[in-house]
Amino acid sequence: MVLGEAAPRGSAEGAAAGRKQCAAARRKAFSLFVKAKEVPAASRCPGGGEGVRWRCCRQAFEELPGIHRHVALHHSGDVGRQAGLGAPPADAAARPSGRSCGGPEISWALPDTSHVSHDDLTSQVGDVLLYYCYCEVRDPEKLCAWQKALCQHLHLTGKVRVASEGINGTVGGSKVATSLYIKVMLSQPLFKNTLCQEDFKSSAGGAHCFPDLRVGVFKEIVPMGIDPKIVSYKETGIHLSPQEFHREVEQYLSQATQGQSDTILLDCRNFYESKIGHFQGCLAPDIRKFSYFPSYVDENLELFKDKRVLMYCTGGIRCERGSAYLRSKAVCREVYQLKGGIHKYLEEFPDGFYRGKLFVFDDRYAICSNEDIISACRYCGVLWDQYKLCSSQHCRQLVLTCPGCCNKGLTACCPVCQEKELKVTSRASGQILKEECECTRRRPRVPIEHVSPRMLDTGKY
């Protein structure tokens, strides 16, 4: 073909027809796959209560969008095989244009902000968004670059993790900026049928809640320390809505009071999170990082044997991988998780079974839904739940110290740090060395629970 000459019309029309045929085949296969998951009308009530219309992967769905999102997220390959769509031709990756049937491309679209004033776009009165989406990302670097451009365009700050398994983010900005961000994310072809409005958890805040913007590519979108290919989010526990979880906790607490519970209510967050807020009757592991959670499970398998486990975390993402890991050990009777995490639960039950503050990973440290204070000042023991960073620069752990103790100069996390506060150790570069203090030295990396059968029965850990 001569340079600059238009491609033959027949060739272009043939390619377009092929794409339409491919899309039609996928749609038909998708519908058939969903149809196969229907619960017969006669067995819907005993199968999980009125309203359950589909079951798949040990989960129940009452509405069509729910089962559609699940199939699109977890069974794309099954649908493709059912549609008779094989792998793309070997030279497909080398083609300069066109789109394969294997999955959506990443859109580089940025929202039009010409109608928004600079003051509205950068207002300090805004929100902090928390979200995640597990999906296949073929080009994480490209998604990362787009996310960075999008956040900068909207003057957002925060942290976004991108991996081949999806995206996890918490960003802050004005109400206009966060609203535009959600709109653009929902229109991104990569997240179609997997991300929806309710997946975004919002709380009062803004760009000032984060020191800067950090967007990067990682192996995991939540750092559990295990290859996603070994423990996949696709093997997760059964998702429970906030209403379902509330009923389960209510039943668990009632049975525990009578000494009849076969359930463990498991908080899979870090110790400093559960310290200022948690569900009543929960088991809260004394771990510093989520990457310690698998070892915690391994060391305490006997604890979970033949138990029903109700798991929860801040927004739901840690439960996705955490429940998958727990299920992989094949010791529990059932593993359930709170869909949307504590965030979504508190939206519907602000005065429910979760008491205290909800820890968040930004400069606010915590958000409040009820007036309960369940933690105390590290020095005097007065009720207190507002974290500050340890004043000793070599440590910088979180510490609960009330105003009275702060005024006395008690601003470090432990006596060791208090003594070292004035003896700052620096590297040649000027960076502060992180040293082990009394807090880290006395806390085992992976605690082994010594829980008696009676404690399990009463829900008092």
Side-chain angles (χ1 to χ4, degrees):
M1 184 187 299
V2 179
L3 187 64
E5 185 178 318
R9 183 177 177 182
S11 174
E13 289 178 348
R19 288 194 295 272
K20 287 183 179 179
Q21 187 177 7
C22 171
R26 283 196 72 91
R27 284 196 297 271
K28 183 177 180 180
F30 190 93
S31 296
L32 290 173
F33 192 94
V34 171
K35 181 74 175 174
K37 301 301 178 182
E38 281 189 0
V39 176
S43 60
R44 283 179 188 169
C45 287
E50 187 176 355
V52 175
R53 297 177 58 195
W54 298 271
R55 284 193 178 277
C56 186
C57 296
R58 303 164 68 249
Q59 297 184 47
F61 302 91
E62 297 181 3
E63 298 179 352
L64 193 60
I67 183 66
H68 276 184
R69 289 180 61 230
H70 172 81
V71 173
L73 178 60
H74 298 292
H75 300 287
S76 179
D78 298 329
V79 170
R81 285 188 289 275
Q82 193 167 316
L85 303 174
D91 65 338
R95 294 176 186 171
S97 61
R99 181 171 159 183
S100 72
C101 300
E105 297 294 331
I106 297 171
S107 168
W108 275 90
L110 295 178
D112 177 18
T113 56
S114 60
H115 62 290
V116 182
S117 71
H118 183 268
D119 287 345
D120 285 342
L121 199 60
T122 60
S123 171
Q124 291 296 300
V125 179
D127 293 310
V128 170
L129 301 177
L130 179 68
Y131 73 94
Y132 68 90
C133 178
Y134 277 106
C135 61
E136 182 183 349
V137 180
R138 291 181 291 176
D139 192 344
E141 294 289 350
K142 185 176 180 180
L143 179 58
C144 178
W146 173 71
Q147 267 297 304
K148 189 171 183 179
L150 173 62
C151 291
Q152 290 175 337
H153 181 68
L154 295 175
H155 300 273
L156 300 176
T157 58
K159 295 170 280 190
V160 180
R161 293 176 67 98
V162 176
S164 59
E165 64 173 355
I167 186 171
N168 174 24
T170 174
V171 295
S174 68
K175 290 187 177 295
V176 172
T178 52
S179 178
L180 284 171
Y181 182 82
I182 293 175
K183 184 177 180 180
V184 174
M185 289 292 287
L186 294 178
S187 65
Q188 170 62 255
L190 182 65
F191 305 134
K192 188 177 182 181
N193 298 322
T194 59
L195 189 66
C196 65
Q197 183 79 35
E198 68 176 18
D199 291 324
F200 290 87
K201 300 95 183 176
S202 178
S203 55
H208 60 278
C209 294
F210 301 91
D212 52 24
L213 172 67
R214 299 179 185 181
V215 185
V217 175
F218 300 85
K219 193 167 187 177
E220 306 169 273
I221 59 173
V222 60
M224 191 170 77
I226 294 181
D227 192 325
K229 295 177 182 178
I230 298 175
V231 176
S232 170
Y233 65 90
K234 296 180 181 180
E235 303 300 324
T236 186
I238 299 173
H239 291 71
L240 298 179
S241 68
Q243 299 94 332
E244 292 170 327
F245 196 84
H246 184 80
R247 289 195 295 269
E248 285 284 350
V249 174
E250 185 174 40
Q251 182 180 12
Y252 156 68
L253 292 175
S254 174
Q255 291 176 343
T257 302
Q258 301 169 28
Q260 300 173 343
S261 180
D262 61 350
T263 300
I264 292 177
L265 180 55
L266 180 62
D267 190 327
C268 63
R269 299 174 300 161
N270 304 321
F271 79 91
Y272 52 85
E273 298 174 77
S274 58
K275 189 172 187 176
I276 63 171
H278 53 247
F279 276 93
Q280 298 173 42
C282 75
L283 171 62
D286 192 19
I287 55 175
R288 292 183 58 215
K289 300 178 182 179
F290 183 57
S291 57
Y292 297 171
F293 183 78
S295 297
Y296 172 81
V297 170
D298 292 344
E299 293 292 338
N300 294 279
L301 282 179
E302 193 63 28
L303 180 69
F304 300 107
K305 190 174 181 180
D306 298 325
K307 294 290 182 179
R308 297 173 72 252
V309 179
L310 302 172
M311 293 180 66
Y312 68 88
C313 60
T314 306
I317 188 170
R318 281 178 279 187
C319 284
E320 300 285 3
R321 296 285 307 288
S323 65
Y325 187 82
L326 186 54
R327 285 193 62 222
S328 73
K329 298 302 173 179
V331 294
C332 304
R333 276 175 45 204
E334 289 286 357
V335 180
Y336 300 89
Q337 65 186 76
L338 174 57
K339 184 179 180 182
I342 304 166
H343 246 292
K344 284 297 181 182
Y345 178 86
L346 291 178
E347 287 179 13
E348 300 193 36
F349 300 98
D351 202 31
F353 296 117
Y354 186 90
R355 310 311 302 172
K357 299 281 198 305
L358 171 59
F359 184 93
V360 289
F361 290 91
D362 58 56
D363 290 349
R364 297 172 299 171
Y365 292 125
I367 53 180
C368 178
S369 70
N370 56 67
E371 299 302 315
D372 287 5
I373 300 177
I374 66 169
S375 52
C377 171
R378 190 245 182 272
Y379 287 95
C380 70
V382 68
L383 289 176
W384 190 252
D385 60 7
Q386 297 179 33
Y387 276 120
K388 291 182 180 294
L389 285 174
C390 174
S391 55
S392 186
Q393 294 185 49
H394 70 273
C395 174
R396 309 298 282 173
Q397 288 200 67
L398 292 170
V399 58
L400 292 171
T401 176
C402 69
C405 290
C406 280
N407 291 336
K408 297 176 183 176
L410 301 173
T411 54
C413 69
C414 65
V416 173
C417 283
Q418 196 70 41
E419 293 173 9
K420 288 186 176 181
E421 186 175 350
L422 299 178
K423 302 175 183 178
V424 178
T425 305
S426 301
R427 294 177 180 168
S429 62
Q431 292 182 328
I432 304 300
L433 284 170
K434 282 191 175 181
E435 296 182 2
E436 198 175 64
C437 67
E438 182 180 310
C439 296
T440 54
R441 203 164 43 231
R442 71 185 180 191
R443 175 173 289 104
R445 183 179 184 275
V446 181
I448 298 176
E449 303 291 356
H450 299 286
V451 182
S452 68
R454 172 158 179 76
M455 292 171 72
L456 286 172
D457 288 340
T458 59
K460 297 177 180 178
Y461 302 107

